[in-house]
Amino acid sequence: MGTSYSVVITRLPENSSEQAIREGIESLLEEVNQQMSTYRPDSELSQINQSEARVWLDVSPELFDIIRQAILISQQTNAAFDITVGPLVNLWGFGPAEGLPTGRPTDEAVESARALVGYQHIELDLINRRLRKPFRGLYIDLSAIAKGHGVDVIANYLDTLGIRDYLVEIGGELRGKGISPRGDSWRVAVERPESGQRQVYKVLNVSNIAIATSGDYRNYYEYDGTRYSHTIDPRTGMPVVHALASVTVLSREAAIADAWATALMVLGERAGYELAEEKGLAAYFLYKKGDEFLPLETTAFKRLTHDWE
Ligand code: ADP
Ligand code: MG
């Protein structure tokens, strides 16, 4: 997944060792990568991306389920979230290819990449768990949801081991349960969304919840004075530009939180906030006003975090 992970548990279960749990986690993450990474040419997803048009492809249960969940979120966000955005991600230099582009892609290049994008092109056979692409260039990119899914996989594994207290994190997406080694709730910081520094903006006391943050302040590049974010608006084909600097979403499952954080990042602090309220999502927005960052909390976020304080 091109990032690091961490797992904190407070107590080892009986008949288990740190080494055994570590190996269990590593092999599960290896499996997720082998299913969903676009950075591995031989992953199951890469094979789908390279496959011929109009043939039914068998899909593993986990990959099928993540694609299905991603499509549901596309439907609910009017395609602001779209896992077929891959050709645009690659064009703007945020895909698996080495190096960043030396300049802004031409309008023609953006248009021809955009013509390949659209989640409704993915055809799913729910009965036989198969997938079909109408044209060869359809390219699925799960980077906005796979880290969250990896967190869920580890959390479920720790649950089956009977571990009651843990905090699991992959690349900043988290899921916590029970209590921290200090004996009270886990404390998770929302960063001040500024590049080149790591400062705490707000601390969340959390338990039994997943948290994901999307932002434009870590993964971007600048060209000719313009910042190009790795979040792409599939509707325009362009990296998003607005005052929204980061969105944090709380949900039961990390995959859902991860995907919605990216979706709200595309929509921005107005449309995103409105949709989050409408869907009852617990979301925390930080947007830039002048030189300051201002927070915006949905009703569900206030309710959830208030309970913990
Ligand atoms: P962040 O932590 O900022 O949300 P993620 O890694 O979760 O970052 O997601 C960003 C990645 O998702 C991008 O690098 C790209 O591969 C992919 N992506 C970009 N725009 C979209 C979009 N509109 N819908 C789905 N995936 C996207
Ligand atoms: Mg995401």
Side-chain angles (χ1 to χ4, degrees), residues 144 214 258 262:
S214 250
D258 192 6
T262 300

Side-chain angles (χ1 to χ4, degrees), residues 75-282:
Q75 288 166 344
Q76 293 179 74
T77 58
N78 197 14
F81 183 84
D82 192 329
I83 54 171
T84 64
V85 76
L88 287 164
V89 172
N90 296 343
L91 180 69
W92 284 98
F94 296 107
E98 300 255 324
L100 292 169
T102 48
R104 186 193 176 291
T106 62
D107 291 345
E108 292 74 36
V110 171
E111 270 321 299
S112 44
R114 206 164 70 98
L116 302 172
V117 175
Y119 70 90
Q120 57 299 337
H121 294 310
I122 303 173
E123 200 182 338
L124 293 184
D125 171 359
L126 297 179
I127 294 168
N128 301 302
R129 222 200 300 119
R130 297 182 305 175
L131 179 152
R132 188 160 68 168
K133 333 193 288 196
F135 48 86
R136 201 165 194 287
L138 192 86
Y139 183 102
I140 298 175
D141 173 0
L142 294 175
S143 305
I145 188 170
K147 289 197 293 288
H149 169 67
V151 169
D152 289 328
V153 167
I154 298 176
N156 293 336
Y157 170 63
L158 299 179
D159 285 342
T160 62
L161 294 178
I163 296 175
R164 298 219 184 115
D165 307 302
Y166 57 74
L167 186 68
V168 175
E169 176 262 343
I170 302 179
E173 326 295 14
L174 306 109
R175 186 163 144 182
K177 192 175 179 184
I179 54 173
S180 79
R182 281 186 323 271
D184 56 7
S185 58
W186 297 97
R187 281 179 214 158
V188 172
V190 176
E191 284 181 316
R192 197 179 138 80
E194 195 122 59
S195 51
Q197 50 166 272
R198 300 213 104 138
Q199 279 181 34
V200 174
Y201 187 91
K202 183 185 178 70
V203 175
L204 305 175
N205 295 297
V206 297
S207 197
N208 304 325
I209 202 89
I211 306 180
T213 298
S214 250
D216 72 350
Y217 60 105
R218 290 259 176 267
N219 204 340
Y220 67 90
Y221 65 90
E222 270 169 0
Y223 181 75
D224 260 359
T226 305
R227 181 185 287 200
Y228 295 100
S229 158
H230 74 146
T231 308
I232 310 284
D233 189 336
R235 301 162 302 183
T236 62
M238 308 287 286
V240 294
V241 268
H242 43 51
L244 183 57
S246 79
V247 194
T248 298
V249 174
L250 278 57
S251 179
R252 243 168 222 297
E253 283 179 54
I256 300 294
D258 192 6
W260 270 102
T262 300
L264 297 178
M265 195 65 211
V266 173
L267 290 167
E269 74 279 8
R270 283 162 190 265
Y273 183 82
E274 236 169 73
L275 185 65
E277 275 292 8
E278 185 196 312
K279 300 284 178 200
L281 269 179

